[in-house]
Amino acid sequence: MEEAIDGGAAHVARRLYGRSKGKALRAGQARLLQELLPRLTLDLTQPCPSAAGLFPTAVTDVRLEIGFGGGEHLIAAAAARPDVGFIGCEPFVNGMAKLLARIDALGLANIRLHQGDAAEAIDWLPQASLGRTYLFYPDPWPKRRHRKRRFVSKETLAALARVIRPGGELRFATDIDDYAGWTLARVRESTDFAWTARASADWLTPWRGWTQTKYEAKAMAAGRKPVYLTFERRRDGARDA
Ligand SMILES: C[S@@+](CC[C@H](N)C(=O)[O-])C[C@H]1O[C@@H](n2cnc3c(N)ncnc32)[C@H](O)[C@@H]1O
C-alpha cells in the first residue's frame, strides 16, 4: 500500500492487467517516446498544485481520458478545443507512440500524458480539478472470475468522484451489455454520480462531436451495439432531490 501523494484518496498499488507492448516500434516512434513523451509526462513524484497549471497556456477546463488506445478521440477532442487541457492515460506503448506522432504532427500543446495505470494519475490530481472524464470501451474482462479486473469499481468511482468537480461528467461507452449493467449497478450504489439519461436515445446516441475510436469501429463491424452513458458528479446532497 502506498500513501497518496497529495493526501487525496489512498492509492492502493494494484496490478495492471492487459498488454503493455505490441508490434515492434518504428525508429520515429521510438524517438518520440524518448524525446517527446518525457516533456509531456505528468511527474507523479511531485505534488500537483493545480491541474490547469500542467499546461503552458491558460485553460478553461481540464479533461481526462482513461485508456485512450490509439488516441483517436483524445486527438480530435484536443484539436477541437485548444482552450481545454487534456490528460491521457494509457499503459500500451504502441498506443502511446501513435498518439505522440499525432501530437507532433498537429503541434498540439494542450495534452499531458501518463503511460501507466490511470488510477495513479487520478489519485495524484487535486480534488475537483476535472470538468470531464472519458472512459471508452474499457477492457471488458467477460469471464466472471476476471470481472474484478474491470476498471469500473466502487473504489475507482470514489476516486473519480474526488477529482471531478460537482456538475462535471463521467462519459462511459461500451459495446458489452454486461459491462453496461455492471457500471450502472455501481453508479446506482454510489452517492456521488447520477445517470443523466431520460430516454433511450440518450444512451443509444453518441455525444455531439463524437469521434469514433478504433475499438468502437471493430465492435460495430462485429455487429455489437454500443451504449453511451453520461454520469453527472452530484452536487452535495443532490441524491434525493
Ligand atoms: C479495449 S481498449 C479501448 C481503447 C480506446 N478507448 C478505444 O475505444 O479504442 C482498452 C484500453 O484501456 C487501456 N487500459 C487498461 N487498463 C488501464 C488502466 N488501468 N489505465 C489506463 N488505461 C488502461 C488498455 O491498454 C487499452 O488500450
Side-chain angles (χ1 to χ4, degrees), residues 14 16 67-69 90-91 116-118 136-137 139 151 213-215:
R14 53 178 214 160
L16 187 56
F68 57 73
E90 175 55 65
D117 186 351
F136 299 140
Y137 303 98
D139 293 316
F151 192 83
T213 67
K214 190 169 164 193
Y215 185 92

Side-chain angles (χ1 to χ4, degrees), residues 14-20 65-73 88-93 95 114-120 122 134-141 149-151 156 173 175 210-217:
R14 53 178 214 160
R15 222 179 125 193
L16 187 56
Y17 298 100
R19 60 183 187 163
S20 60
E65 184 161 340
I66 299 166
F68 57 73
E72 299 84 13
H73 173 270
C89 300
E90 175 55 65
F92 184 47
V93 70
H114 175 57
Q115 188 185 346
D117 186 351
E120 296 164 351
I122 292 166
Y134 308 105
L135 177 57
F136 299 140
Y137 303 98
D139 293 316
W141 297 112
R149 298 180 178 185
R150 287 177 171 174
F151 192 83
T156 47
D175 57 316
W210 169 244
T211 301
Q212 186 169 63
T213 67
K214 190 169 164 193
Y215 185 92
E216 181 180 83

